[in-house]
Amino acid sequence: MKTDADWLARAVELSRLCPFSETAFSVGAVIVGADGELLSEGYSRETDEKVHAEESALAKLPADDPRLRTATVYSSLEPCGERASRPRTCAQLIIAAGVPRVVLAWREPDLFVTGCQGTALLAAAGVEVVELPELAEAAREVNAHLLG
């Protein structure tokens, strides 16, 4: 059975598929059921220039899919807690889907949003948030062009 690190490494791999952008992070996301089954995956700008990774992965499943209530979302970057391009943030989408657990590699740096609140919003809603900082460097590498 795959570990959290294995699934998060897959999310980082997906981030490498993102169309290039100078104004947005490249992020990958994987949704895994409680039984270890891959439910969905997505990446930033997969379907349009504004779509985020978690949003893309969630959109591939029915909103009322009961597996989401026991699933884990793996994201190479902290799910957004503030967003101008859509009415709902990724943190709000995860909470609305009933996902109880999120594993991330890298906290969003203060580049496009100051003081990203994605993990705080998730935690306040009762979502378990796990950070695997050992994969943060791989997630940063994909976005090196943004970091200077």
Side-chain angles (χ1 to χ4, degrees):
M1 189 158 179
K2 290 187 177 183
T3 66
D4 282 346
D6 294 331
W7 287 118
L8 195 52
R10 173 62 184 156
V12 172
E13 281 178 41
L14 288 168
S15 72
R16 298 179 196 287
L17 300 176
C18 298
F20 182 82
S21 175
E22 297 242 355
T23 59
F25 290 108
S26 292
V27 182
V30 178
I31 304 174
V32 178
D35 60 357
E37 176 189 0
L38 173 65
L39 302 180
S40 182
E41 49 187 30
Y43 55 89
S44 302
R45 299 175 297 286
E46 180 177 9
T47 55
D48 72 54
E49 65 182 23
K50 303 286 186 197
V51 75
H52 286 192
E54 302 91 338
E55 176 185 23
S56 179
L58 284 166
K60 294 173 184 172
L61 296 169
D64 60 351
D65 190 325
R67 299 173 300 173
L68 287 169
R69 284 160 190 61
T70 57
T72 298
V73 170
Y74 295 89
S75 182
S76 61
L77 181 70
E78 176 179 11
C80 69
E82 189 176 317
R83 189 167 182 184
S85 63
R86 298 274 206 258
R88 297 170 86 189
T89 67
C90 290
Q92 290 170 325
L93 293 171
I94 291 167
I95 293 163
V99 175
R101 186 167 183 264
V102 172
V103 179
L104 63 105
W106 181 35
R107 295 235 180 189
E108 184 172 343
D110 292 341
L111 184 61
F112 302 118
V113 173
T114 303
C116 182
Q117 295 296 310
T119 55
L121 292 170
L122 292 166
V127 176
E128 177 189 2
V129 178
V130 178
E131 189 172 351
L132 298 184
E134 61 270 25
L135 288 169
E137 186 55 38
R140 275 193 293 273
E141 284 173 12
V142 179
N143 293 283
H145 65 285
L146 298 172
L147 303 174

